[in-house]
Amino acid sequence: MSQATGFAPPSGGDVLELEALVERLVVFHRDSGMPAASADAGQQAALVMARGEVRAIRERLDGDEDRERLEHLAAWLEQDIQRLAPVFEARRERLCRSWALENPDSRLCHQGRVLLSNAIGRDTGAPGGDLPGDPASDLAALLVGLKSREETALTRLALDRYLRLSGDYEMTRLLSLLGACHALSGARRALSRRPPLNRDPEHPALQAESMAECRRFLALAEFIAEFRFPPLVIAVGVAGSGKSRFTSGLVSRLGAIRVCSDIERRRLHGLDVTYPQDVAGGAPVDIFSEAATERTYRRLATCAGVLLDAGIPACVDGTFLRRWQRDLLRQQAEARGLPCLLVSFEADDATLRRRIEKRARQQGSAVAESLSVLTRQQADLEPIADEERLHLVHLDTTADNAAETLAGLIQEHVRLF
């Protein structure tokens, strides 16, 4: 069981904005687990869904090219389900019923528009939809639903927020597989609205429209199944340097997932991750001890490695004062043959002090104590080694175009590999 989050319990019939939905999903998945009937129950649920969707689509497809696309997807699904068997088994205690079954009347809204029914857009009539499954299936349904509506920024924000609040980075190993299954659900639904061939000459447009939608979902399934070579971005800088502000923009711009040292440090100590600025909180242990810091950076490395294995760009936000900390993260990318970029977030001393003073007043913290933390960090920052400079770029966070510069630096660096 995870630490308390302070979120309200889920309820049916709600009209939810994305942020509130993700919070409720995290709580629902945390509190709704059920004992697995067998070690492979999660894998079997995925098999039932994948095979059922392929079978239903196959029966309705006519063209050879469409059938060939489907068969390629079917073969990939079978292989991936077998490959991920150890992941399913390791997560057997997380199995739960779907949010969609428990909250059928909920809706996801954005800027006054209803985007998804049952808030995550999951087809409750899909093959195996009533079986206990991995919570990754719910998240995958939400991501596919948003992506199919061309809500790319919301898709990226939903994934980033869910992982940050839940800490369940291991879930990402299953997202491609389950996302492809949910995309096939969309293709099946499109075909179900298609009139039988040559049986409805009065509505040829409906025939063409349903096939176009089916092919769009097949293309989405293929896109999800395609493995990418994600970069690792390591954000280096002292307090007030602008790391959190500028790396948060990488979520919507580049689809990177942020792994934040303050969040993971608190998670390791069972503290509420929703308010990372509340450092003390009556904690019985020193969460900034040398041992706690080492645990934190090893946790950051593990999370980054999982994301890279899942084909997801990772951006790790920490001070990274010590070379061993930077090396530990850099090795996660190098061991996988993936690009790595160290971004040194920089600002002049007056700007650093001004930012820290402003933050301390907003949070009700002691200004003098906050400034002393900056002084210690500046003294403890170990110089960048020669081998690190091959991966290093500098970012002046006082520049007017710093956000655009950061995104451009990352895109340019990735193209070099």
Side-chain angles (χ1 to χ4, degrees), residues 359-372:
R359 183 192 303 169
R361 293 191 181 98
Q362 289 175 338
Q363 297 176 356
S365 304
V367 173
E369 183 178 340
S370 298
L371 290 174
S372 69

Side-chain angles (χ1 to χ4, degrees), residues 305-353:
V306 170
L307 290 171
L308 296 177
D309 284 341
I312 300 174
C315 177
V316 185
D317 177 356
T319 54
F320 287 97
L321 302 176
R322 304 295 188 183
R323 180 179 172 184
W324 72 264
Q325 297 165 350
R326 303 190 293 266
D327 288 347
L328 181 64
L329 267 295
R330 185 162 50 87
Q331 289 162 7
Q332 296 299 313
E334 292 180 347
R336 294 166 171 82
L338 296 172
C340 176
L341 183 64
L342 276 77
V343 181
S344 176
F345 288 78
E346 300 166 359
D348 59 85
D349 193 62
T351 299
L352 292 174
R353 295 178 67 86

Side-chain angles (χ1 to χ4, degrees), residues 89-109:
E89 183 172 355
R91 295 174 56 81
R92 59 184 298 193
E93 294 183 0
R94 294 179 179 268
L95 297 190
C96 62
R97 280 170 58 82
S98 172
W99 160 280
L101 294 173
E102 301 293 331
N103 299 270
D105 299 323
S106 59
R107 299 290 184 270
L108 172 64
C109 289

Side-chain angles (χ1 to χ4, degrees), residues 44-97:
Q44 290 303 314
L47 271 173
V48 169
M49 183 177 187
R51 291 173 178 174
E53 296 292 11
V54 168
R55 186 183 308 113
I57 296 171
R58 185 185 287 135
E59 292 172 352
R60 294 177 171 87
L61 281 181
D62 300 314
D64 291 340
E65 184 176 344
D66 293 325
R67 286 179 174 272
E68 184 176 353
R69 294 177 71 181
L70 179 64
E71 296 310 320
H72 279 302
L73 280 167
W76 178 84
L77 287 168
E78 292 285 340
Q79 293 170 4
D80 222 41
I81 289 173
Q82 295 305 318
R83 179 179 68 85
L84 293 169
V87 179
F88 278 111
E89 183 172 355
R91 295 174 56 81
R92 59 184 298 193
E93 294 183 0
R94 294 179 179 268
L95 297 190
C96 62
R97 280 170 58 82

